Amino acid sequence: MERVALYARVSTEEQHRRGLSLTEQEKSLEDYANAHNMQIVGRYIDGGKSARKKYTTRPEFMRLLSDVEAGKLDTILFIKLDRWFRNVGDYYEVQTILDAHNVTWRATQEDYETVTASGRFKVNIMLAVAQDEADRTSERIKFVFEGKRERGEPAGGRIPRGYKRENKKIVIDPETAPLVRKAFDVYLETGSLSAASRACPKLGLTYRSSRYMFDNPAYMGDYYGITIPPIISVEEHERALAMHGHTVRKTKDNRVYLFSGLLTCPYCGRRLGSKVICHPGGKENYYYVCPKKTRDGLCENKKHYSEVKIEAYLLEHVDSKIASQTSAQENSHAISYKPQRDAIKRKLEKLSELYMADMIDMDDYKRKYAALNAELAAVPEDIKPKKLEAVNMFVGNWRDVYDGLSKSSRRTFWRSCIDTITLDNNSIADFSLR
């Protein structure tokens, strides 16, 4: 029996169109295979994937190609050519792979063949038509979205937690915004995604959604180029981004390590793992070690970095570090790019007025709009001297307070004031404060 693979695809916009749902496509292909006495050896379903983008972004399509190269099938079935490709270049790139492994394809609801020259010419024509149709649709959608952004209206998509849609605008949701604010406070204080999620169970955060939320620029007031009310400051957003790779992970033994996520290997750059060595009498010594495995093999760093020594170093040098960083910041000056940005924004406003008055056509508008936006993106935001937040933590009898903290509270203390800890071959080389 002929071994066949069933391939179905829909893009996000097509999810609800009649006749294009994944279920209907798969059922149609299954009926075709059974009617022609074919053996179904695989089903490959790409949901929410556009055929305009590179085919390598379609995970099920790539799995299908792997099975083609493994010699697991003879023919690929899909209902229509545009389910397969909407791009001529990508089509021939994949067709080369299919030809090399003697795999054919059939569009079950259309009449195509690639044996004759006229058949291949027809496929070229229909792929070009499909690509042109997709490009025109994309242009229309982009133009509509650009108009909405100019009016400060959301262009669609899910509204972030803490906000709601009201009169075509995104505004603060008084019920959930305080919970989002609390989640950010906990995350910035502890560096733990799970701790932030537990602090605000009503938000229903998972590991993935919490990671997305803490990275989302919407919370500092930038929702896909639209200015909305911020819940956190720009500085807090930058701190959240900087914590990538420095989050506190729950250990299997539930022990607390003071500097989890703050140390990286000076040899290979990998994040250091934690290790405890138990001595006779029950004494435990905590260390940080390189995981050793890297892409290129094994890291040669065999050093054990003592937590006790790291803590002692920080306590001894923190006062001098505050003085040096404060002095450097006092001597730095703010740089304002506001005049340049305002001038470009005024040009964008005039361009919009010209288009609305029919003084320029759509193509001219789009070309000049793209050029001005590129010019605006090249102008940086104002650069302000960074305020040293950690200074507020080292006032009064802070050392007495620190000595009285639990170990988990000490970890929170250091994560709140330490930005990075740089290691050398022996111990600490330097550290910087937030």
Side-chain angles (χ1 to χ4, degrees), residues 164-236:
K164 63 180 181 179
R165 197 188 304 265
E166 189 175 274
N167 297 326
K168 296 185 178 181
K169 301 287 184 180
I170 296 178
V171 299
I172 294 286
D173 182 358
E175 294 184 5
T176 58
L179 298 177
V180 171
R181 175 71 255 186
K182 181 179 179 181
F184 268 96
D185 289 340
V186 174
Y187 178 62
L188 293 174
E189 181 179 335
T190 65
S192 172
L193 295 173
S194 58
S197 301
R198 290 195 301 270
C200 306
K202 290 185 178 180
L203 289 178
L205 293 173
T206 62
Y207 181 88
R208 178 178 294 183
S209 62
S210 60
R211 167 64 72 194
Y212 173 76
M213 187 176 85
F214 297 133
D215 290 351
N216 194 341
Y219 293 106
M220 69 171 183
D222 181 9
Y223 181 76
Y224 296 106
I226 300 173
T227 301
I228 63 175
I231 293 179
I232 63 172
S233 66
V234 175
E235 292 74 19
E236 288 171 320

Side-chain angles (χ1 to χ4, degrees), residues 3 68 73-75 95-105:
R3 300 172 301 166
V68 166
L73 52 98
D74 303 310
T75 299
Q95 189 63 42
T96 302
I97 299 174
L98 300 186
D99 291 341
H101 295 85
N102 298 315
V103 174
T104 61
W105 56 261

Side-chain angles (χ1 to χ4, degrees), residues 151-358:
R151 297 189 296 271
E153 299 175 7
R158 181 179 297 178
I159 303 299
R161 291 174 173 86
Y163 293 95
K164 63 180 181 179
R165 197 188 304 265
E166 189 175 274
N167 297 326
K168 296 185 178 181
K169 301 287 184 180
I170 296 178
V171 299
I172 294 286
D173 182 358
E175 294 184 5
T176 58
L179 298 177
V180 171
R181 175 71 255 186
K182 181 179 179 181
F184 268 96
D185 289 340
V186 174
Y187 178 62
L188 293 174
E189 181 179 335
T190 65
S192 172
L193 295 173
S194 58
S197 301
R198 290 195 301 270
C200 306
K202 290 185 178 180
L203 289 178
L205 293 173
T206 62
Y207 181 88
R208 178 178 294 183
S209 62
S210 60
R211 167 64 72 194
Y212 173 76
M213 187 176 85
F214 297 133
D215 290 351
N216 194 341
Y219 293 106
M220 69 171 183
D222 181 9
Y223 181 76
Y224 296 106
I226 300 173
T227 301
I228 63 175
I231 293 179
I232 63 172
S233 66
V234 175
E235 292 74 19
E236 288 171 320
H237 175 69
E238 292 175 351
R239 280 181 55 195
L241 291 179
M243 293 177 77
H244 261 313
H246 300 285
T247 53
V248 175
R249 298 170 182 169
K250 184 178 180 180
T251 60
K252 294 180 180 179
D253 51 21
N254 289 322
R255 289 185 172 93
V256 175
Y257 297 86
L258 292 180
F259 307 108
S260 294
L262 295 177
L263 305 169
T264 55
C265 176
Y267 287 76
C268 67
R270 288 282 303 277
R271 172 177 171 174
L272 294 188
S274 51
K275 182 178 181 179
V276 63
I277 298 178
C278 298
H279 297 277
K283 183 180 179 181
E284 296 182 341
N285 287 341
Y286 290 72
Y287 297 92
Y288 299 91
V289 296
C290 182
K292 290 186 170 49
K293 290 185 179 180
T294 68
R295 280 184 187 173
D296 303 321
L298 296 177
C299 177
E300 61 184 34
N301 185 12
K302 299 180 180 180
K303 172 74 177 178
H304 283 52
Y305 299 93
S306 168
E307 183 174 273
V308 172
K309 292 182 179 180
I310 294 174
E311 182 182 23
Y313 181 94
L314 294 176
L315 291 172
E316 180 182 353
H317 294 85
V318 69
D319 289 332
S320 59
K321 177 59 68 174
I322 290 175
S324 63
Q325 283 194 225
T326 301
S327 175
Q329 289 169 356
E330 288 175 349
N331 293 326
S332 62
H333 302 283
I335 303 176
S336 177
Y337 294 93
K338 188 175 185 301
Q340 295 97 312
R341 297 182 65 85
D342 287 346
I344 298 173
K345 289 178 180 178
R346 286 194 294 270
K347 291 181 181 178
L348 283 168
E349 291 176 358
K350 292 180 180 178
L351 179 65
S352 178
E353 292 172 358
L354 290 173
Y355 174 74
M356 296 301 292
D358 285 332

